[in-house]
Amino acid sequence: MQINLLQCCSSADVQENIFKIESQLHALSESVDKNEKQLVVLPEFCLVFGGDEVDQSDYALPDENSPLKKSLSELARKYRVYLVAGTIPVLTQKDTVVNRSYFFNDSGQVLGQYDKLHLFNANVKDGIRGYRESDTFCSGEHITVIATPFGKVGLAICYDIRFGELFRAMRLAGAELIALPAAFTKPTGEAHWQTLIQARAIDSQCYLLAAAQWGSHNRGSRHTWGQSMIVDPWGRILAQKASGEGWVKSQCDLTYLNDVRKSLVVEEHNRFDPPILKT
């Protein structure tokens, strides 16, 4: 199986973002082995990314009515890829908005979904300074691990990477690969991104597939770090893209993953109880 992460510089223009992603998928389809399964991971807020979370919530519609979801499903079907479709805002039955990642198969059908558990409320020394995702979004209520033809895939989103208990919970639920759509700020990314990705890969003994936003958004009002990367269960960086838009590609070897887990049986040795999700 081929892993493909797309690093984007998304804007507030939905149609422009769809066009850019489709152009990249078309180029990918021309360069890959048609007989090999392709997993594609898109960044957080891949279809609409403004300077304020309220900009995203304006596009929130119920799951069954979301044109953003429909567009992503169609891209997965058209280009025959398994697609972790970044994230989009979704209006729930409780009339709250969540930041949701869908996982589509290569026919465009939903294999599973995940609503971001940890909301980014922080003061950062950048142009925005104050981030308050909880003013716009509500937290998810469950973890997600999805069985696929190429292994079990856990889903997390951006700020989740700071919470090791989530990644242990996914490991205990069977995860072998963990996809992380993200839009890390430039200051926090420069300080912590690589360290966190490698640490969570080592902790969980999973492949970490971290697809990030990069660059200047909304006329320079917001800057994201980039450095999309694929990290193996030993913590080695298999591929990364420090800056710019484009693909990060590598292979996934579950035999190697199992060898790592047999050589260091950390879950067998762990003396702490499994994490319990707070509600």
Side-chain angles (χ1 to χ4, degrees):
M1 181 204 55
Q2 177 77 31
I3 300 168
N4 310 276
L5 315 182
L6 183 58
Q7 186 158 285
C8 294
C9 183
S10 298
S11 70
D13 187 325
V14 172
Q15 292 307 312
E16 177 186 36
N17 295 329
I18 292 173
F19 175 79
K20 287 169 66 175
I21 292 170
E22 180 160 16
S23 297
Q24 292 281 3
L25 286 170
H26 178 76
L28 180 71
S29 69
E30 296 292 309
S31 64
V32 299
D33 182 348
K34 299 295 191 287
N35 296 316
E36 187 175 42
K37 293 187 184 301
Q38 303 293 322
L39 172 62
V40 170
V41 185
L42 302 178
E44 186 179 21
F45 295 130
C46 58
L47 293 189
V48 54
F49 192 52
D52 194 306
E53 276 69 36
V54 173
D55 298 331
Q56 283 90 41
S57 68
D58 289 343
Y59 291 85
L61 289 172
D63 176 279
E64 64 275 12
N65 298 330
S66 173
L68 303 184
K69 177 188 174 186
K70 183 178 179 181
S71 295
L72 292 165
S73 171
E74 176 60 20
L75 289 174
R77 185 201 63 78
K78 182 175 180 180
Y79 292 98
R80 306 298 298 176
V81 297
Y82 284 78
L83 181 64
V84 178
T87 74
I88 61 172
V90 175
L91 185 67
T92 72
Q93 293 179 343
K94 299 177 182 179
D95 286 330
T96 60
V97 178
V98 293
N99 186 9
R100 178 171 295 174
S101 182
Y102 289 100
F103 191 176
F104 300 100
N105 68 11
D106 56 358
S107 298
Q109 299 170 318
V110 175
L111 293 178
Q113 62 191 47
Y114 167 74
D115 298 339
K116 188 175 184 178
L117 280 171
H118 299 100
L119 302 178
F120 187 53
N121 293 345
N123 296 320
V124 178
K125 294 180 179 179
D126 66 0
I128 301 296
R129 294 190 175 274
Y131 294 84
R132 294 284 304 177
E133 285 188 344
S134 63
D135 288 349
T136 302
F137 297 103
C138 286
S139 296
E141 298 177 346
H142 60 82
I143 68 168
T144 299
V145 176
I146 301 163
T148 76
F150 42 80
K152 292 184 177 179
V153 180
L155 300 181
I157 299 170
C158 201
Y159 189 49
D160 284 333
I161 195 66
R162 294 185 181 272
F163 300 90
E165 297 91 340
L166 168 59
F167 289 77
R168 185 181 175 209
M170 287 191 282
R171 161 70 191 274
L172 291 171
E176 296 164 309
L177 305 89
I178 298 175
L180 183 87
F184 248 60
T185 71
K186 191 172 182 180
T188 58
E190 184 176 20
H192 301 146
W193 172 258
Q194 180 174 323
T195 301
L196 288 168
I197 300 299
Q198 290 179 287
R200 295 294 84 83
I202 294 167
D203 289 348
S204 65
Q205 297 180 314
C206 290
Y207 282 90
L208 255 290
L209 320 178
Q213 292 279 356
W214 164 85
S216 176
H217 311 267
N218 252 25
R219 297 174 182 161
S221 64
R222 190 162 181 175
H223 300 273
T224 50
W225 175 245
Q227 200 183 3
S228 298
M229 58 171 57
I230 299 168
V231 178
D232 76 11
W234 196 248
R236 295 180 301 183
I237 299 173
L238 302 181
Q240 66 177 316
K241 187 173 182 62
S243 61
E245 296 183 273
W247 292 106
V248 178
K249 304 178 185 179
S250 187
Q251 298 284 326
C252 168
D253 183 351
L254 295 186
T255 300
Y256 173 72
L257 178 144
N258 290 326
D259 288 343
V260 169
R261 292 181 176 185
K262 288 176 182 177
S263 67
L264 281 174
V265 287
V266 292
E267 276 309 322
E268 182 180 320
H269 296 157
N270 197 320
R271 298 179 61 187
F272 287 86
D273 289 335
I276 299 173
L277 181 62
K278 296 178 183 179
T279 58

